[in-house]
Amino acid sequence: MEHQRRDDGVVDVICIGAGFAGLYVSHVMAKAGRTVAGFERGADLGGTWYWNTYPGARCDIESIYYSYSFSDELQQEWEWSERFATQPEILRYLNHVADRFDLRRHFTFGTSVVSATWSEEEALWTVGLDTGGSCRGRYLISAVGPLSTAKAPDLPGIEKFTGRRVSTSNWDLPLEEFDGKRVAVIGTGSSGVQCIPLIADHAQHLTVFQRTPNYVMPARNAPLEPDFTRQIKEKYRALRTLCRYSSRGFPELLRTDKALEVSEEERQRRYEAGYLVSGFTSVGDEFVDLLTDEEANETAANFLREKVNEIVDDPVTASLLEPRYHAFGAKRTCFGTDYYETYNRTNVDLVSLRHEPIVAVTEDGILTTDRTVDVDILVLATGFDAVTGSVLNLNVTTSSGRSLAKDWAGGPRTYLGIASEGYPNFFMVAGPQSPGILSNFVVSIEQHVDWLDRLLTYAEDHGIDRIEVERAAQDDWVCLVDKVVGETLYATTESWYRGSNVEGKPKSFLAYAGGVGKYRDLCDDVAAEGYRGFVLGRSEPAAPAVEMSAGGQR
Ligand code: NA7
């Protein structure tokens, strides 16, 4: 890994993060001839796929779609081995991409950006680094990812626990270490659902602490047959276009009928068929109104509750696992392998925190209102300060006294989820109020970065070096985000999509819910109208351009 030496020179683009987003930022920006200084907190590239190495970690969007589309050679040469790729395979893929397009040279690894300040006088961003240095650049691009700041453990007494504690979002414990141990997993979101069956295979005893039962569909993961992959590759170009103009970034069922318009028998038949296929385009897509009409949603929710009861032997455990506190799909659906089956094992217990809350974590276990559970290894699968957490951790401020933390105290305020008023030349890739978290993230990343590239090219061609959001355009976007989500069940469901999982976090829906295709059109319209909603200008005096070598050093 090449660690770049830097002096106090100015680069065109400072990029924060070397996951899917940051790697693509560096590729596109460097290809356009811009100098790039990238900083990555991890010791190596990969972002989410570098940190989340817990057992069972895998993507829940099909690998053939959860991958870059910008290079036909890349998509033709890379072979995914499974329908849903594992974390190690995705990390191998990202390393392959970085090597193939020579992207490592742009990044300094093991280095966090701890502050970012816009100087009005110089029209430049300066980022402060945890290593003590700093870097100045004309444009600041945040590619920090939506799920990269773990939620602080909010369990009373956790600091007193003397056993081994590990978090799914920063994993460093081989599964063999669980052999013969008494293990507790707290959290039953996607991460918990994926690791619980594998931990149960090793632990002497596993106790799962569940606060909110989720809808867990069988992942139905399988090896990808060479013939299937060949067929996909033959029509990749068309499929990628379909993804770009879809609602969530992958090909969809596009049903138009409503759940209550068909007979009970027909509904069950369709849900069964969807359940067999599984994936995001199955049960949840069988009717057009499942995310907008509570009664319609309840038919799908009931179908899935029945599945839980069919799989889980003990009726009490089954009833605790039945998801009944939120609408199906309004919180992110989980996809598991043998998840519900795991509760039929004799070494696994479920504790419902809705019925017996945790009183305290003690030195050697967990005390609930009803029992004491002895624990050797405590696994936290408690989620993230999603979407805004990592952006706000950058401590973005301006020399005129603005601070993103203050400006977003009531929730994020952006234009298109790309930029925020008062912070010139600062851009976010698939950031808050973009479709990002509701979509195949790679599709959203490529769309944002390509769009930004065109914006910067336009600026360069027109002698512009200062790009700022108009307040009115931002206000309109924030209203639109609220209006669009207000038509769905997302709006009434407590979830990390709305910031409800972090105490004190403003409840504000963190994504544009109108779909990636619609959003792409909106962004393209903005560009076609000379970047409507942006103030494009020239700073005086002009910031000096500094020539850089290919290695990113002055
Ligand atoms: P999630 O989906 O936010 O899940 C976190 C889980 O942890 C969820 O079940 C929470 O219950 C539970 N939780 C959080 N805090 C506590 C406390 N204090 N006590 C008990 N239980 C708690 O995070 P994941 O990492 O699983 O998945 C994040 C995303 O990664 C996922 O959606 C995919 O996009 C990939 P709650 O539901 O809040 O009651």
Side-chain angles (χ1 to χ4, degrees), residues 104-267:
R104 277 171 203 281
R105 67 194 163 104
H106 301 302
F107 289 92
T108 304
F109 294 101
T111 303
S112 295
V113 168
V114 292
S115 66
T117 310
W118 169 255
S119 159
E120 287 294 348
E121 295 70 35
E122 296 179 295
L124 290 177
W125 282 98
T126 301
V127 295
L129 309 171
D130 65 343
T131 48
S134 64
C135 176
R136 296 196 302 158
R138 190 181 309 287
Y139 298 111
L140 175 64
I141 302 185
S142 162
V144 293
L147 299 165
S148 45
T149 295
K151 194 171 84 112
D154 47 359
L155 299 157
I158 189 151
E159 67 291 345
K160 297 199 183 106
F161 182 66
T162 54
R164 186 68 203 264
R165 180 170 125 195
V166 64
S167 166
T168 48
S169 60
N170 187 6
W171 190 269
D172 58 356
L173 203 56
L175 257 182
E176 293 65 41
E177 296 276 330
F178 288 78
D179 287 339
K181 300 283 187 342
R182 296 162 305 175
V183 182
V185 174
I186 301 186
T188 53
S190 300
S191 305
V193 161
Q194 288 186 336
C195 70
I196 283 167
L198 292 163
I199 292 175
D201 261 349
H202 285 260
Q204 178 207 98
H205 193 87
L206 168 64
T207 312
V208 176
F209 291 82
Q210 167 193 274
R211 192 161 66 183
T212 308
N214 266 313
Y215 296 87
V216 183
M217 303 268 283
R220 307 216 189 277
N221 184 40
L224 287 179
E225 298 300 329
D227 252 15
F228 172 80
T229 304
R230 189 180 42 73
Q231 283 171 30
I232 293 289
K233 287 186 175 181
E234 276 168 13
K235 48 186 182 187
Y236 234 148
R237 222 166 267 217
L239 283 171
R240 296 294 199 182
T241 303
L242 206 61
C243 293
R244 289 183 197 122
Y245 289 93
S246 67
S247 166
R248 288 164 299 171
F250 38 78
E252 287 150 319
L253 288 179
L254 298 178
R255 302 280 196 209
T256 51
D257 53 350
K258 297 182 173 177
L260 300 171
E261 284 174 355
V262 304
S263 68
E264 164 75 17
E265 198 185 16
E266 168 68 358
R267 260 200 313 274

Side-chain angles (χ1 to χ4, degrees), residues 5 98 127 157-158 174 204 272 275 310 317 327 337 381 384-385 391 425 494 498 540:
R5 185 177 52 79
V127 295
I158 189 151
Q204 178 207 98
E272 279 293 350
Y275 187 76
E310 277 170 29
T317 306
T337 299
F384 298 87
D385 180 352
V391 181
N425 294 5
E494 302 298 345
R498 286 177 67 209
E540 291 299 340

